[in-house]
Each structure stands twice: as C-alpha cells, then as structure tokens.
Amino acid sequence: MEQYVNKNKKQLRCGITTGTCAAAAAQAAARHLVFGIESKEVTIYTPKGVTVVVPVEFVTSSKDKVEYFVVKDSGDDPDVTNHTKIYVSVEKRDIDNAKELKIFEDESKQFCLDGGEGVGRITQKGLEQEIGYAAINTVPRKMIFETVREVCQIGEYKEKLFIQICVPEGKNLAKKTFNPRLGIEGGISILGTSGILEPMSEKAIIDTIEVEIRQKKAMGKERILVTPGNYGKSYVAKYLGLDMESSIKCSNYIGETLDLAVTYEIKQLLLVGNIGKLVKLAAGVMNTHSKVADARCEVFAAYAGLCGGTKESLEQIMECKNTDEMLAVLEKEGIKETVLELICKRIHEQVAHRVGDELEFGIMLFSEKYGFLGQTKDAGKILSAFLATKY
C-alpha cells in the first residue's frame, strides 16, 4: 500500500529504504531457491508497521544460487538512490569463518550476509558496524534475516545460506552521500530504521549529524567544529584556516546538534556561521529554518532600540529583506558594533541555557558582505585550541 505524508501543505508520497529493497530481493531469491517459484512481487512487513508490496525482478538461477533485484522507489524524496537497482543473491554455501572474514551471521548460524560490489565498507570507528564489515545497518540486517528465515521455516529448509547485496551504481552514488566523510568506502550504505522513506525527512538529517558526532567521539575527538552550511564552511576554510574536512554540517538543526554534543560528552564545540541563521539564536530559535521561525528583523530591531536607534531606523529594519540590509541601517546609525556585541551576549545566554554546564561552546558570526561580525565569550579560546592542535 502507498503511504503519504503532509509537508508544507503538500501531500507527498513515501518511498522505501534500501533496507526494504534488499529484504524484498532476498525474500524473492530465497523463495525461488527453496520452492523453485519465480516471483514478480513480494510482501514486506516493515518495522514501521506498514505492509508494502514490492515489485521484484528475476536475474538468474542455478541449482545452488538465485539472484533478484529491486528498483528503489524513493517516492517524492529527492534521494540520490532513487531508481537504483539493489541486487541480492541467495546461495547454498557454508561460511565457517564469518567473523574472521567480517561477514554478518544471524543467531542461528544458518545465514550469513555480506555486501558485494557497490556496498560500502567501514574504515573508521563510531559507526553501527565494526571496521571491515559491509555498511549494512542493524535494522536492514534483521529484516533480511527474518524474511529468509521465514521462507526456510515454511519449506523446512535446513541448509546454510549466504546472502549478498550488490549495488552496481553504488560506488559512484556514494560520492553524493556523506559516506566518504564517515569513513565508508567503496559504495553506499544499506539503511532504514522504519523501512519507509519519508520525503525530506528531518530525522534522516539529524541521524547523520548524530553519526558524525558519535564517530568523532569514538576517534577520541573531544572538540568539534560545526557549520550550518556551505557559506559557513567557505568562511571557516578561507579566513580562519581550519580544516573543513573535520567539520560537521548541522544545517538548520542547531539545537539538536548541541543536544547530541552533550549526549556524546563532547568537551568543546565551535559553531561558525552566517548571521542570517545564527542571529535567530538570540531569540531562542534553535531550528533556523524559515518555515519554523524567523525573528531576524525582531532581534535586530529590539537591540537597535536598546542601543538608541531611532524610530525611523527600527521601522527600516522591520522592512529589510535580509540581514545585510539590517546591518547597513545599523551602520548608518553608528550602532552596528554595539548591537552585535549585545546580540552575541544574548546568543551565549540562550545556548548556555540549552546545554547547561556540560559543554563549553563558542559561536562566531559573519556575513558575506561585512566579514567577521562578532563572537560569544569563549569562541576565541576554542578557536585557538583548534589551531593549536591543527584540527
């Protein structure tokens, strides 16, 4: 059955995860191997509690091995793996040294699972899998093992089976994902905690941020560099001389990033970004997406008023379309530096209230037009620590 979600007053069609695709192809291949039945579609009960009917395509079969593929349907999500073919083969084969070969085993030891061409391999600590294993996450592994086990139980089939996932396009697709940054080489990951892919999922972005923070902690990093987006990354690299390959991109989810830093006991966090996003923190807005809240005009106008701005200047600020225009008004009034100093102070208070005493943080604000604009009280110290350690 098709699933829909409402986002921004639009009804969007859900898709299925790479994990669901792999489970469907595995079920079809197992049925063909055990019963000799060719399938055109299979039914998968997802962890979300939704039953989906997935079209499957037969590839090849022999006495001991069958292969199928599923074309991934991402629904209305702009996912890089949309329309990608996920191949799964099921083979009569006993893997007696799975642990040494870094191959997953189910509890019964009847089934083994591995990734082949186009499925990434783990090269760094901090991910769900150990180094050397295929990037097949826990929930997809469970789904695959359960679907194959059910087929074998119905057919009273006792032989050991080797299951392999291949994604021929995976190596090229991985370049468009976070995998290279996360230490996953050679292909994409087989993912999905619910089995259903919701369009433009905020959870997926936050999950990625969590993986990066968890991984840095596992690598012994106690200090992280965070930027909301590409503008911040460009400024950090050019003017601050920091290694952008080590930074975490938090998008609009600043509050969640702070929470995760606390959860994983990060000691220091430096956030560098454009004032258009970060000025919202002064109003306690920790999700900076414009659909959630804006408050840019209100923050600038409030602090301009506190610093002696005229009624006319406040009215002008409230009519501005972007922060550079607001800064121009403040500059004309001769209060730009004073206003920015108070805003940085308030940002520090708001973030400190969020993280308590568990995280030392610094925040640096800039604009493309005006360059560096200000920073919270501990930003300089944390920046120096980054530069000293050549982070």
Side-chain angles (χ1 to χ4, degrees):
M1 58 181 294
E2 290 192 339
Q3 295 288 305
Y4 293 86
V5 293
N6 292 312
K7 300 254 183 173
N8 300 324
K9 300 180 181 179
K10 293 181 180 179
Q11 189 180 63
L12 302 176
R13 187 171 65 86
C14 296
I16 56 175
T17 62
T18 47
T20 298
C21 293
Q27 183 188 122
R31 286 174 58 183
H32 198 132
L33 185 65
V34 173
F35 298 108
I37 300 172
E38 181 177 338
S39 301
K40 298 295 183 183
E41 62 183 27
V42 297
T43 301
I44 297 291
Y45 185 75
T46 67
K48 190 178 179 69
V50 176
T51 300
V52 293
V53 176
V54 182
V56 295
E57 296 284 342
F58 169 66
V59 180
T60 185
S61 69
S62 65
K63 178 183 176 182
D64 296 324
K65 182 178 179 180
V66 179
E67 185 174 29
Y68 276 73
F69 73 81
V70 169
V71 177
K72 186 173 185 294
D73 179 3
S74 299
D76 289 323
D77 187 79
D79 179 63
V80 298
T81 59
N82 193 30
H83 302 311
T84 300
K85 293 178 179 178
I86 311 292
Y87 287 79
V88 177
S89 61
V90 177
E91 179 182 3
K92 296 179 184 178
R93 183 178 166 193
D94 184 3
I95 306 292
D96 57 6
N97 57 341
K99 188 172 183 179
E100 290 79 4
L101 295 172
K102 306 293 185 182
I103 295 174
F104 299 110
E105 284 185 295
D106 79 321
E107 294 179 357
S108 70
K109 308 291 186 181
Q110 184 181 359
F111 312 118
C112 286
L113 171 66
D114 198 15
E117 178 189 6
V119 176
R121 287 272 162 186
I122 308 302
T123 64
Q124 295 181 20
K125 294 181 180 179
L127 297 171
E128 284 193 15
Q129 312 85 351
E130 296 179 10
I131 292 175
Y133 280 87
I136 307 170
N137 277 12
T138 304
V139 174
R141 294 202 305 266
K142 183 179 179 182
M143 290 175 66
I144 292 164
F145 283 140
E146 285 181 351
T147 57
V148 175
R149 184 182 301 113
E150 183 179 356
V151 171
C152 290
Q153 287 175 344
I154 293 171
E156 297 183 350
Y157 189 86
K158 303 296 184 182
E159 292 192 50
K160 293 188 175 183
L161 297 176
F162 173 60
I163 308 161
Q164 186 176 57
I165 306 171
C166 293
V167 186
E169 301 173 69
K171 190 171 183 179
N172 289 328
L173 289 173
K175 298 173 184 177
K176 303 175 184 178
T177 72
F178 282 94
N179 277 13
R181 289 169 54 89
L182 298 176
I184 302 172
E185 297 183 359
I188 65 168
S189 301
I190 305 302
L191 304 170
T193 55
S194 69
I196 301 296
L197 179 63
E198 291 192 7
M200 296 169 285
S201 171
E202 295 180 357
K203 184 180 183 303
I205 298 173
I206 296 169
D207 285 349
T208 299
I209 296 169
E210 179 175 8
V211 167
E212 290 201 66
I213 293 176
R214 183 176 71 232
Q215 186 179 45
K216 290 190 181 301
K217 182 67 177 181
M219 295 169 64
K221 302 288 187 180
E222 301 287 349
R223 185 184 304 115
I224 60 174
L225 174 64
V226 178
T227 58
N230 291 327
Y231 284 133
K233 293 179 72 171
S234 174
Y235 180 84
V236 170
K238 184 175 181 181
Y239 296 103
L240 301 183
L242 295 177
D243 178 12
M244 292 316 303
E245 292 303 314
S246 299
S247 71
I248 294 172
K249 185 176 177 181
C250 69
S251 186
N252 294 297
Y253 306 101
I254 295 172
E256 287 83 355
T257 302
L258 293 168
D259 295 342
L260 289 165
V262 170
T263 298
Y264 287 97
E265 299 181 344
I266 298 297
K267 301 301 183 186
Q268 291 183 324
L269 179 149
L270 181 64
L271 171 62
V272 184
N274 190 289
I275 192 168
K277 281 190 180 294
L278 299 191
V279 72
K280 300 178 184 183
L281 300 178
V285 177
M286 299 287 171
N287 182 329
T288 57
H289 199 293
S290 58
K291 73 180 181 181
V292 174
D294 196 332
R296 292 172 302 168
C297 294
E298 289 79 3
V299 170
F300 273 111
Y303 285 96
L306 289 173
C307 295
T310 63
K311 180 176 182 294
E312 290 75 17
S313 67
L314 303 188
E315 290 174 344
Q316 289 175 30
I317 288 172
M318 293 302 295
E319 294 297 322
C320 288
K321 303 300 183 187
N322 57 60
T323 50
D324 279 344
E325 291 179 6
M326 300 174 204
L327 291 167
V329 175
L330 296 176
E331 192 168 54
K332 186 177 180 182
E333 285 282 295
I335 57 175
K336 178 164 72 74
E337 285 73 21
T338 308
V339 168
L340 288 169
E341 184 177 345
L342 285 180
I343 287 174
C344 286
K345 181 180 178 181
R346 185 58 174 164
I347 289 174
H348 177 86
E349 292 171 353
Q350 293 282 11
V351 174
H353 177 71
R354 178 103 180 199
V355 302
D357 298 327
E358 299 180 72
L359 175 68
E360 187 177 18
F361 66 89
I363 299 172
M364 304 180 73
L365 290 73
F366 72 94
S367 94
E368 294 295 298
K369 180 177 180 180
Y370 291 92
F372 175 76
L373 294 172
Q375 63 189 36
T376 59
K377 68 176 187 176
D378 293 322
K381 178 176 73 172
I382 298 174
L383 174 61
S384 297
F386 270 110
L387 295 175
T389 55
K390 296 182 180 180
Y391 184 82

